[in-house]
Amino acid sequence: MREKQPRLLLITNEWPVLKPQHPQPSAVKRRAEALQAAGLSVEVFAFRGRNFYNYAAAWTQLRPRLHPGRYDVVHAQDASNTLLALPKRVPLVVSLVKRNLLARFWASRADAVIVPSEQIKQQLRTRTPVYVITPETDEQAATERLLDVYREVLS
């Protein structure tokens, strides 16, 4: 019998951005497609996070949908996107690309943190479990690692 895959919500402010100078799908779009191909139920909540009003509107729009009956895990693709998942109702994974005071704050509110390097992991100094998925990791290995992170958060 196959293990039940988690229902995932990806929160991003970079989806889908196809511009003449960037004809490739965004990294988040590729990641969502890879996770769906791996059997996850993936929903993406995309918004333009350029100012306070956009975040407030996105938070208001997302809140009614953000509950354990709909999702098992929420993955904020950037530290600032974590705002939309708070107060937390569903286990939260946060991707952080750099270490700073704000990153430590978001990391302390998450159930797991994903960083792009071992150096950032060491500098983060948080009690939250931190996992490294480097940009050089191929798509299949990154997808498998994400699946492991989601399962660990849910166990």
Side-chain angles (χ1 to χ4, degrees):
M1 189 164 140
R2 192 168 178 195
E3 179 180 332
K4 181 186 173 223
Q5 297 289 359
R7 295 165 298 169
L8 173 68
L9 172 66
L10 290 175
I11 300 174
T12 183
N13 58 358
E14 71 165 72
W15 172 290
V17 182
L18 291 178
K19 298 177 181 175
Q21 66 271 30
H22 297 103
Q24 297 297 319
S26 71
V28 176
K29 185 173 186 345
R30 289 191 313 272
R31 172 106 355 116
E33 290 169 349
L35 290 166
Q36 284 176 322
L40 262 70
S41 170
V42 179
E43 187 174 326
V44 177
F45 183 83
F47 70 105
R48 290 188 175 259
R50 299 187 191 273
N51 59 50
F52 171 79
Y53 299 105
N54 290 357
Y55 276 93
W59 186 88
T60 303
Q61 185 181 8
L62 183 60
R63 275 334 280 170
R65 298 170 31 193
L66 194 56
H67 55 82
R70 187 166 186 167
Y71 306 109
D72 298 310
V73 179
V74 173
H75 187 162
Q77 295 295 306
D78 184 74
S80 60
N81 298 339
T82 307
L83 281 169
L84 275 59
L86 298 177
K88 192 169 64 166
R89 296 179 180 170
V90 177
L92 176 63
V93 176
V94 179
S95 291
L96 301 172
V97 293
K98 57 187 172 187
R99 185 211 58 91
N100 56 30
L101 188 59
L102 199 55
R104 281 184 76 184
F105 176 78
W106 295 129
S108 70
R109 273 126 187 95
D111 296 289
V113 177
I114 297 171
V115 295
S117 72
E118 194 64 42
Q119 180 183 11
I120 293 174
K121 177 181 179 178
Q122 297 303 321
Q123 293 173 343
L124 199 54
R125 293 193 179 111
T126 181
R127 293 181 182 178
T128 304
V130 180
Y131 304 89
V132 177
I133 301 177
T134 66
E136 296 80 28
T137 305
D138 69 77
E139 197 69 44
Q140 183 176 353
T143 299
E144 290 171 12
R145 185 70 173 130
L146 278 173
L147 290 171
D148 290 341
V149 171
Y150 299 150
R151 287 184 193 115
E152 288 179 34
V153 165
L154 292 171
S155 63

